[in-house]
């Protein structure tokens, strides 16, 4: 069973809401999730690489200093041992920026293989650009049992200040502070490169998501365009068929009226004219002829009223829509075969002319379709006035039903249903049709109080 509702969003709006917006929202959420996940992954990778690098460098520095201390032990207690030890340490290095240094505990430089101009100078008061006492920190860490110190020092290969990680120990026999260090600008460059790579990966992923979004929008737009063109062609075909049907209906109605006027009214008027002329020429039988002429005139008036009612029932203007619908159902019921009933529910209110005419024509078309095609035993028409100022018209039958979707898909079929829908749309009403083969049919037209107010404006 299918339900068709004529009022709602347009096809383009439905496509936008049901396809485009969910797609874009999903892609945006995916892009946001990917960005957050990749940023989080890059941050964890950055921290892990830095921690691993620093652990490896700390272990390396400690091994260098332990090796240097073990090298000096044979010289301890020997005459000239301190001078030999300084000479030996100055010859030990591990690269351009890898060297040992020795300070006395009062801050005087005893050995510095990369900066020999500092030998003999007291650097106790030396401070870095941040105001930290560099040598004092190193000596304090050595006195505390040895350990790691981060500070700023001029890098031999670049002659620029760079962050440095130093490891220092005490040499108690000679009251020295012995240490070495590694510059950290290399790890900072590595971290920066990793961060650039992570940003590039995020950008690439977002570009791919954007490309998918553009492709999806393009495909949906192409599909919408194709569907629009198809619907447009179908609508044009239906409109042409409807126009032909309207023109044919007008011609049929004119032909019917012409036949009725010619065969009924015209002939009755001619007969009346002849009776009046006969009465003028036969005074003896004038009374009888005048009676016959009067009867013919009454018959003619009845036929004229019938034709007028078929065009627009007088009851619709005099007694209102409920009486006109009950009279309409009575005419169909009088034809026999199918039982037609009309019911009015709720307190009747005055309706705009446009509403009365449209609902009457919709009911007329629905009853006509039920009489011609439904093969029903009962057809019920209900006009319902609700307490909120709204209005509903329902026509239901127990007939065989039909496939409304298939009927509307063919241009030259379903013209009556399209005509009813167009009348309902003109009022801003909601027309629904519930039907399927074998289960009968129920058509409903509903107008809210606001719809009625707009129709009356």
């Amino acid at each position: 069973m299918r339900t068709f509702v004529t009022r709602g969003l347009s096809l383009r709006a439905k496509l936008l809401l049901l396809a485009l917006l969910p797609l874009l929202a999903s892609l945006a959420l995916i892009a946001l999730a990917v960005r957050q996940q990749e940023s989080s992954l890059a941050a964890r990778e950055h921290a892990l690489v830095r921690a691993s690098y620093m652990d490896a460098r700390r272990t390396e520095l400690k091994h260098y200093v332990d090796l240097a201390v073990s090298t000096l032990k044979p010289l301890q207690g020997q005459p000239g041992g301190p001078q030999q030890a300084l000479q030996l340490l100055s010859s030990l290095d591990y690269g351009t920026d890898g060297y040992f240094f020795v300070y006395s505990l009062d801050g005087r430089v005893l050995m510095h293989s990369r900066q020999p101009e500092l030998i003999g100078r007291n650097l106790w008061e030396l401070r870095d650009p941040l105001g930290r006492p560099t040598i004092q920190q190193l000596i304090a860490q050595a006195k505390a049992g040895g350990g790691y110190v981060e500070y700023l020092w001029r890098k031999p290969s670049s002659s620029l200040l760079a962050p440095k990680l130093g490891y220092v120990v005490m040499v108690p026999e000679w009251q020295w502070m012995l240490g070495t260090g590694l510059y950290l600008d290399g790890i900072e460059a590595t971290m920066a490169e990793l961060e650039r790579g992570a940003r590039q990966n995020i950008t690439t992923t977002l570009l791919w998501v954007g490309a998918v979004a553009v492709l999806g929008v393009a495909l949906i737009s192409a599909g919408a365009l194709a569907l629009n063109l198809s619907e447009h062609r179908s609508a044009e075909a239906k409109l042409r068929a409807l126009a032909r049907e309207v023109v044919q209906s007008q011609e049929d109605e004119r032909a019917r009226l012409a036949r009725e006027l010619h065969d009924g009214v015209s002939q009755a008027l001619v007969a009346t004219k002849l009776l009046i002329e006969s009465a003028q020429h036969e005074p003896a039988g004038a009374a009888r002829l005048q009676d016959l002429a009067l009867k013919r005139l009454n018959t003619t008036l009845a036929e004229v009223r019938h034709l007028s009612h078929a065009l627009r029932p007088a009851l619709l203007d005099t007694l209102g829509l409920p009486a006109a619908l009950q009279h309409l159902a009575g005419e169909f019921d009088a034809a026999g075969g199918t039982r037609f009933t009309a019911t009015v529910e709720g307190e009747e209110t005055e309706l705009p002319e446009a509403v009365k005419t449209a609902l009457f024509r919709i009911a007329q078309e629905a009853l006509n379709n039920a009489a011609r095609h439904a093969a029903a035993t009962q057809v019920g028409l209900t006009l319902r006035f609700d307490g909120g100022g709204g209005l509903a018209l329902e026509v239901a039958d127990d007939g065989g039903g039909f496939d409304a979707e298939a009927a509307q898909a063919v241009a030259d079929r379903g013209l009556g249903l399209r005509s009813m829908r167009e009348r309902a749309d003109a009022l801003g009403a909601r027309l629904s049709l519930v039907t399927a083969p074998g289960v009968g049919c129920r058509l409903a037209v509903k107008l809210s109080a606001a719809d009625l107010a707009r129709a009356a404006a």
Side-chain angles (χ1 to χ4, degrees):
M1 183 178 295
R2 296 183 176 92
T3 301
F4 298 89
V5 180
T6 66
R7 195 175 175 185
L9 296 173
S10 65
L11 178 61
R12 184 175 299 176
K14 288 178 180 179
L15 287 173
L16 179 65
L17 293 176
L18 298 178
L20 191 58
L21 290 182
L23 173 64
L24 293 178
S26 300
L27 291 175
L29 291 176
I30 291 173
L32 180 61
V34 168
R35 182 180 180 84
Q36 290 180 341
Q37 289 295 324
E38 290 200 355
S39 298
S40 176
L41 180 61
R44 289 197 299 269
E45 182 182 5
H46 188 284
L48 181 62
V49 170
R50 184 179 182 86
S52 176
Y53 178 88
M54 294 302 292
D55 288 342
R57 292 300 178 263
R58 287 189 179 95
T59 302
E60 182 181 357
L61 290 178
K62 187 175 184 303
H63 288 167
Y64 286 153
V65 173
D66 290 343
L67 179 61
V69 171
S70 64
T71 302
L72 299 181
K73 282 186 178 180
L75 301 177
Q76 294 175 4
Q78 294 185 5
Q83 292 300 323
Q84 294 179 17
L86 293 175
Q87 292 177 359
L88 179 60
L89 289 174
S90 65
S91 65
L92 296 178
D93 60 35
Y94 44 93
T96 304
D97 298 319
Y99 55 89
F100 290 93
F101 51 83
V102 180
Y103 288 75
S104 64
L105 297 184
D106 60 359
R108 186 167 56 89
V109 182
L110 299 178
M111 190 277 296
H112 201 298
S113 60
R114 296 295 186 271
Q115 293 178 284
E117 69 276 9
L118 298 179
I119 297 175
R121 292 179 56 184
N122 192 312
L123 303 181
W124 181 261
E125 298 297 333
L126 177 67
R127 294 179 181 271
D128 64 15
L130 300 178
R132 296 175 298 184
T134 304
I135 304 304
Q136 293 180 32
Q137 288 180 325
L138 292 171
I139 293 175
Q141 186 64 44
K143 287 181 178 180
Y148 302 95
V149 180
E150 289 191 23
Y151 59 99
L152 294 175
W153 198 262
R154 184 170 63 85
K155 189 175 182 180
S157 60
S158 64
S159 299
L160 299 175
L161 281 178
K164 185 176 183 180
L165 175 65
Y167 182 78
V168 294
V169 296
M170 281 281 294
V171 181
E173 291 78 9
W174 297 322
Q175 293 296 295
W176 290 353
M177 183 268 291
L178 169 64
T180 187
L182 292 172
Y183 291 93
L184 301 179
D185 54 346
I187 183 59
E188 296 302 332
T190 301
M191 293 298 103
E193 184 63 29
L194 287 175
E195 187 173 353
R196 282 194 299 272
R199 285 198 299 267
Q200 185 176 0
N201 288 338
I202 293 174
T203 302
T204 302
T205 302
L206 293 180
L207 288 176
W208 274 106
V209 173
V212 172
V214 170
L215 179 61
V217 171
L219 291 176
I220 291 175
S221 300
L225 178 60
L227 185 58
N228 265 339
L229 292 175
S230 175
E231 288 292 326
H232 182 66
R233 287 193 294 268
S234 177
E236 283 188 343
K238 292 177 181 178
L239 184 61
R240 287 193 296 268
L242 183 60
R244 289 195 300 269
E245 181 71 15
V246 170
V247 172
Q248 185 63 41
S249 298
Q250 290 176 345
E251 293 299 325
D252 291 344
E253 186 65 15
R254 288 171 180 171
R256 186 183 70 81
L257 288 175
R259 287 193 303 270
E260 293 290 339
L261 291 173
H262 179 270
D263 298 339
V265 176
S266 178
Q267 292 182 8
L269 289 175
V270 170
T272 304
K273 176 178 177 293
L274 293 175
L275 288 173
I276 294 174
E277 289 177 349
S278 298
Q280 291 177 345
H281 292 89
E282 298 180 12
R288 183 180 61 81
L289 293 174
Q290 288 175 355
D291 289 340
L292 290 175
L294 183 60
K295 290 180 181 179
R296 287 296 181 95
L297 281 176
N298 288 333
T299 302
T300 304
L301 288 175
E303 290 187 9
V304 170
R305 282 196 297 270
H306 176 74
L307 291 175
S308 174
H309 179 76
L311 293 175
R312 178 176 174 85
L315 290 175
L316 196 61
D317 296 320
T318 57
L319 300 181
L321 180 63
L325 292 179
Q326 289 175 337
H327 180 74
L328 179 65
E331 288 184 340
F332 277 95
D333 186 63
T338 303
R339 176 65 174 167
F340 287 84
T341 59
T343 306
V344 179
E345 299 179 359
E347 184 177 354
E348 181 181 350
T349 58
E350 183 60 28
L351 299 174
E353 289 297 324
V355 173
K356 291 192 294 185
T357 302
L359 292 184
F360 180 82
R361 293 306 183 194
I362 291 174
Q364 192 176 41
E365 180 69 28
L367 294 182
N368 185 55
N369 288 340
R372 293 172 57 189
H373 306 298
T377 59
Q378 290 187 354
V379 179
L381 185 153
T382 303
L383 181 66
R384 184 178 300 108
F385 295 87
D386 63 38
L391 180 68
L393 172 69
E394 294 185 3
V395 179
D397 64 64
D398 59 356
F402 64 99
D403 189 341
E405 188 177 53
Q408 294 179 94
V410 181
D412 58 352
R413 295 180 60 191
L415 296 179
L417 179 58
R418 283 197 290 274
S419 175
M420 289 188 287
R421 179 179 297 110
E422 289 172 1
R423 291 183 183 274
D425 289 341
L427 298 176
R430 181 175 181 272
L431 186 147
S432 61
L433 176 65
V434 179
T435 183
V439 296
C441 177
R442 184 177 68 83
L443 180 141
V445 181
K446 296 182 181 180
L447 293 95
S448 64
D451 297 330
L452 293 176
R454 283 194 297 271

